[in-house]
Each structure stands twice: as structure tokens, then as C-alpha cells.
Amino acid sequence: MKIALGCDHGGLNLKNAIKKHLEEQNYEVEDFGTYSTESVDYPDYAKKAAMAVSSGDADCGILVCGTGIGIGISANKVKGIRCATVGDTFSARMTKAHNNANMIALGERVTGIGLGLDIVDAYLNSEFEGGRHQKRIDKMMEIESENL
């Protein structure tokens, strides 16, 4: 499985910890940056990672900024992306199981590294349940196709 990563300066430490954690589990990781604590704009990095997921170059994506909110909203502007900002393991499991989210966003300033890694594991180890949830996904994507 190939995972696209992206962050701004406020999410650098958590993104780097996630990258190391994923590589230790033998995931293929493509890191779209940023690579320093110099102030940058999170939409630039959200777009790069989201485009990789949307095009099929990556199977899913993980984004990090200070809160996870701005970078997640930015990713959702890319056609085909369903990115959920999550701050707990239950939400991480459910966003995959019920919403078939292909990206998640985390906030380094509100989550921390330990919980952040647990959230990533919960998300990656969950599976979409399909069934009644697929109808809802189809409706979401219909809204997207009408408006994007």
C-alpha cells in the first residue's frame, strides 16, 4: 500500500513521526513535504498529496497541520477526495468503515505524536463496510460531481 503524506510547518514533527512509523511497517510512503519549520501554506501540500490519491498514484493519504482542519478542508477541494479530520481512534476507524475516507488529517498541536500514531494505525487497519454505507458514499460523490 502506498500512502501520500503532506504537512505544513505546524505538522512537521508529527508527519515525520508518522512517516517513520509507516516505513517501519513496510508501507510505501511518498512525502510531499514540507520538510522544515519555515512557515508555508498548508493548501499547497494538501493539494500535492490529495492529487496523488485522486489520480491513483497513492492508495490513501495522511495530512498534518496545527489542527488538521485547514489542511483537511483543502484536500477536500480535490475531486474524488474524502478527507476527515480526526482526533481519536474511534473516528479514525469509523471514517474508513462508514465513509470510506481516502485521506485523514490530524492536528499536531491538538493530538500529539503518541495518539497520532494510534489514529493512523486505527485508520489503516480498518476496512470499508460497504452495504448501506455505499449508498451514502454514492450520494456524496453525486453532490461533488454536480458542484466541482
Side-chain angles (χ1 to χ4, degrees):
M1 175 183 286
K2 185 174 183 179
I3 302 169
L5 294 181
C7 73
D8 72 355
H9 56 283
L12 180 66
N13 294 324
L14 180 54
K15 185 220 36 171
N16 286 341
I18 290 169
K19 182 178 179 179
K20 180 180 179 206
H21 181 71
L22 294 173
E23 289 174 341
E24 288 171 351
Q25 295 180 60
N26 296 313
Y27 286 103
E28 183 180 355
V29 176
E30 186 164 359
D31 184 349
F32 289 95
T34 191
Y35 310 105
S36 79
T37 56
E38 181 180 332
S39 183
V40 295
D41 298 326
Y42 54 77
D44 299 334
Y45 300 92
K47 180 180 177 183
K48 291 176 186 179
M51 291 298 290
V53 174
S54 178
S55 70
D57 288 339
D59 298 298
C60 65
I62 301 169
L63 302 170
V64 189
C65 68
T67 63
I69 298 168
I71 204 163
I73 291 170
S74 298
N76 280 318
K77 302 301 180 185
V78 174
K79 191 171 178 87
I81 296 300
R82 290 179 307 282
C83 182
T85 299
V86 294
D88 61 88
T89 57
F90 179 77
S91 296
R93 285 192 310 273
M94 290 300 101
T95 200
K96 177 71 82 62
H98 291 187
N99 310 122
N100 201 18
N102 50 15
M103 298 187 83
I104 58 170
L106 297 92
E108 179 176 323
R109 295 178 184 145
V110 295
T111 305
I113 291 175
L115 178 57
L117 297 180
D118 288 345
I119 289 169
V120 166
D121 288 342
Y123 170 72
L124 292 174
N125 292 319
S126 297
E127 293 187 23
F128 180 51
E129 293 176 2
R132 72 183 192 277
H133 305 293
Q134 184 59 56
K135 174 179 75 170
R136 297 168 186 150
I137 301 298
D138 293 342
K139 287 183 176 188
M140 274 190 242
M141 302 318 291
E142 185 178 321
I143 293 167
E144 178 184 85
S145 80
E146 293 170 355
N147 292 284
L148 285 181

